[in-house]
Amino acid sequence: MSSVSNTSKNRVLPFSEALKVWVKVAIHSFGGPAGQIAVMHKILVEEKKWISENRFLHALNYCMLLPGPEAQQLATYIGWLLHKTKGGLVAGLLFILPGFISILVLSILYAAYRDVAIVDAIFFGIKPAVLAIVIGAVIKIGKKALKNEVMVFMAVLAFVAIFFFKVDFPYIVLAAGITGFLGGKFWEDKFHVIKGHADKTEQENDYLIDSHIQQVKPSFKKTLQTILLYLSLWALPLILTALWVGVDSIFFSEGVFFSKTAVVTFGGAYSVLAYIAQKAVEDYGWLKSGEMLDGLGMAEATPGPLIQVVQFVGFMGAYRFAGTMDPLLAGILASLLVTWTTFVPCFLFIFTGAPYIEYLRGNKNLTTALSGITAAVVGVVLNLGVWFTIHTLFGKVNESHSLGIRWLIPEWETINIPSLVIGLIAAFTYFVLKWDMLKTILISVVCGILYYFLF
């Protein structure tokens, strides 16, 4: 038993210690949801032993059910478990902050100077590294979650459904939840994978949260207060914007639009990016088509949730339609507004729902349903990994349909050999040399810059 686990039963975690770890999680949060969840698993479950495997998966499954960035919501959930509202706010806000600052700086460079050669070089190096990290995440999460052949089969079905048939994520989650619920009635040993309060093992007592956090019945009064508080915080900037510059302004339009997208982003950012791109480019004219891809590259190559790409969209829209306001100032204000309306709902969902999810954690009907969802989530994350691999390594990918099946067929002559080489270097350092994520990304960035400017 590790020294960390020995001390976990004898102390309450100081907030200052948790703060340092949440900063570490935030600066390592590359690789989209798969990579970010893997980072939290490595740090919080394996290294720090703050939360057990079952508790981690239970929280993850609830976050996967919600609209919005599941990794950021998972950080908020675990922060809430440790230090209630204060812990959840700090964990969730820190998870967003590095990406917000990075994309704001890159947006300013992109819009004002268009001198993005070094930025292109950085992106060129980061993407293959992210590819290796995502593959690692799929392997790690799969090993932890797919504990029998039934769970493996459900993961495969989820992957086939979303990758080949483009079934919407909410339908996959619903089907997996119902399957888990019914399966638990007839085949409990195969579906009761995520254990609850009554099934806590002696090993789980070695984890800080599992040994200290007690089952507490949620208060309806407190729930109602939480809902009203965060709904007010969500609406406040929109009301102030309407009073300041009017409902016809670019700021109010963006605030309302991204408030809507905040509640429909089921299945992560990729599920809503096509909708955002279509509206922002074709309907509103905030972006040109190529600019949306550049923004996605920024979001993929910087820490934080991939949905942070909305910040770039908001910045460019306000920069382009600033009116009498300074364009850079308009872009910065829009970045703040869009980020606020996108992420405040995340805190609303966690602080409202997490107490009930924790209270019901020992309910076998709930846990078997969530076990089914866990397996489906592995298939969905694998879908993201495959999609990202194809689009990173090939310059052109054709999509075709036959008998209702979607096929992604890369043109082999467009294979990007330098990206493949950098990806192999990243995989070697990450899997063989066991370098951490930040070192792996840094060596990939150096390789990307060298190739970009020397060749």
Side-chain angles (χ1 to χ4, degrees):
M1 188 180 297
S2 69
S3 60
V4 176
S5 62
N6 280 328
T7 59
S8 68
K9 292 186 284 186
N10 302 318
R11 67 183 179 90
V12 175
L13 182 73
F15 183 73
S16 58
E17 184 177 337
L19 180 62
K20 294 176 184 177
V21 174
W22 289 123
V23 170
K24 180 180 179 181
V25 169
I27 63 177
H28 284 76
S29 61
F30 291 89
Q36 292 156 1
I37 291 166
V39 167
M40 279 187 279
H41 185 277
K42 181 176 178 61
I43 295 174
L44 305 179
V45 179
E46 298 175 13
E47 295 179 3
K48 295 296 180 181
K49 289 190 177 293
W50 283 358
I51 182 170
S52 69
E53 188 73 46
N54 284 330
R55 202 69 170 261
F56 183 88
L57 288 174
H58 187 86
L60 174 60
N61 284 330
Y62 173 60
C63 295
M64 292 297 294
L65 290 173
L66 299 173
E70 57 269 32
Q72 186 265 350
Q73 290 168 331
L74 179 61
T76 305
Y77 192 121
I78 297 174
W80 171 81
L81 281 174
L82 287 167
H83 295 106
K84 297 307 175 186
T85 301
K86 177 176 70 171
L89 285 172
V90 167
L93 290 172
L94 282 175
F95 198 89
I96 300 165
L97 188 60
F100 173 81
I101 295 173
S102 302
I103 291 180
L104 182 59
V105 171
L106 293 174
S107 297
I108 292 171
L109 290 173
Y110 186 92
Y113 303 106
R114 295 285 173 164
D115 183 14
V116 293
I118 186 65
V119 175
D120 287 343
I122 291 172
F123 289 171
F124 186 82
I126 283 181
K127 285 184 180 180
V130 171
L131 173 60
I133 292 164
V134 169
I135 292 172
V138 172
I139 294 171
K140 288 180 180 178
I141 296 173
K143 283 182 177 179
K144 301 293 183 181
L146 306 182
K147 296 185 178 181
N148 56 59
E149 68 279 6
V150 174
M151 295 294 107
V152 172
F153 183 66
M154 289 187 67
V156 171
L157 283 181
F159 171 77
V160 170
I162 196 168
F163 187 82
F164 289 105
F165 293 95
K166 299 183 72 173
V167 177
D168 289 339
F169 180 77
Y171 295 117
I172 293 175
V173 168
L174 180 62
I178 292 173
T179 302
F181 174 81
L182 296 176
K185 300 286 188 183
F186 302 101
W187 207 359
E188 184 177 315
D189 61 323
K190 296 295 184 181
F191 284 89
H192 196 205
V193 174
I194 303 171
K195 307 300 182 182
H197 298 284
D199 305 287
K200 186 188 293 185
T201 65
E202 182 61 32
Q203 266 190 334
E204 287 172 359
N205 284 323
D206 294 333
Y207 292 86
L208 186 69
I209 288 175
D210 294 68
S211 62
H212 282 82
I213 302 299
Q214 302 300 316
Q215 183 181 16
V216 178
K217 187 175 182 178
S219 161
F220 176 76
K221 180 181 177 181
K222 189 171 182 180
T223 299
L224 186 60
Q225 290 173 340
T226 301
I227 292 172
L228 292 175
L229 172 62
Y230 285 93
L231 284 178
S232 300
L233 289 173
W234 190 1
L236 181 61
L238 294 176
I239 295 171
L240 294 176
T241 299
L243 294 174
W244 178 40
V245 290
V247 295
D248 295 325
S249 68
I250 180 68
F251 300 104
F252 188 79
S253 296
E254 290 187 345
V256 170
F257 175 71
F258 289 110
S259 291
K260 292 178 182 177
T261 60
V263 297
V264 297
T265 53
F266 291 97
Y270 283 110
S271 63
V272 81
L273 284 178
Y275 170 73
I276 292 176
Q278 180 183 9
K279 290 289 185 181
V281 175
E282 298 177 9
D283 295 355
Y284 295 111
W286 295 339
L287 295 175
K288 299 175 183 177
S289 57
E291 291 174 344
M292 185 66 193
L293 293 175
D294 292 336
L296 181 57
M298 289 182 190
E300 287 175 334
T302 51
L306 185 59
I307 196 63
Q308 194 70 47
V309 69
V310 301
Q311 177 189 344
F312 173 76
V313 176
F315 181 98
M316 292 302 297
Y319 183 89
R320 189 158 278 144
F321 297 100
T324 58
M325 187 180 292
D326 177 74
L328 280 181
L329 177 60
I332 293 170
L333 291 175
S335 292
L336 290 166
L337 176 63
V338 164
T339 301
W340 182 276
T341 56
T342 298
F343 288 101
V344 167
C346 298
F347 294 102
L348 167 64
F349 300 144
I350 296 300
F351 295 148
T352 302
Y356 292 90
I357 294 298
E358 282 298 307
Y359 181 68
L360 295 171
R361 197 166 63 89
N363 184 294
K364 286 192 176 181
N365 289 330
L366 176 64
T367 53
T368 56
L370 290 177
S371 295
I373 293 170
T374 300
V377 165
V378 175
V380 172
V381 174
L382 177 60
N383 160 70
L384 293 181
V386 173
W387 186 93
F388 194 57
T389 299
I390 293 173
H391 286 85
T392 297
L393 296 183
F394 294 92
K396 190 171 182 180
V397 180
N398 298 314
E399 181 174 326
S400 64
H401 297 265
S402 60
L403 301 176
I405 301 174
R406 187 271 301 264
W407 302 95
L408 293 180
I409 305 172
E411 293 190 4
W412 289 94
E413 62 272 17
T414 67
I415 188 170
N416 192 323
I417 299 297
S419 287
L420 177 61
V421 171
I422 295 174
L424 292 173
I425 293 172
F428 178 77
T429 58
Y430 192 63
F431 293 111
V432 179
L433 300 183
K434 304 296 183 183
W435 286 15
D436 63 29
M437 186 178 299
L438 205 54
K439 289 180 180 177
T440 300
I441 289 173
L442 286 175
I443 191 65
S444 298
V445 167
V446 170
C447 291
I449 292 173
L450 288 175
Y451 172 79
Y452 201 87
F453 288 104
L454 295 180
F455 301 95

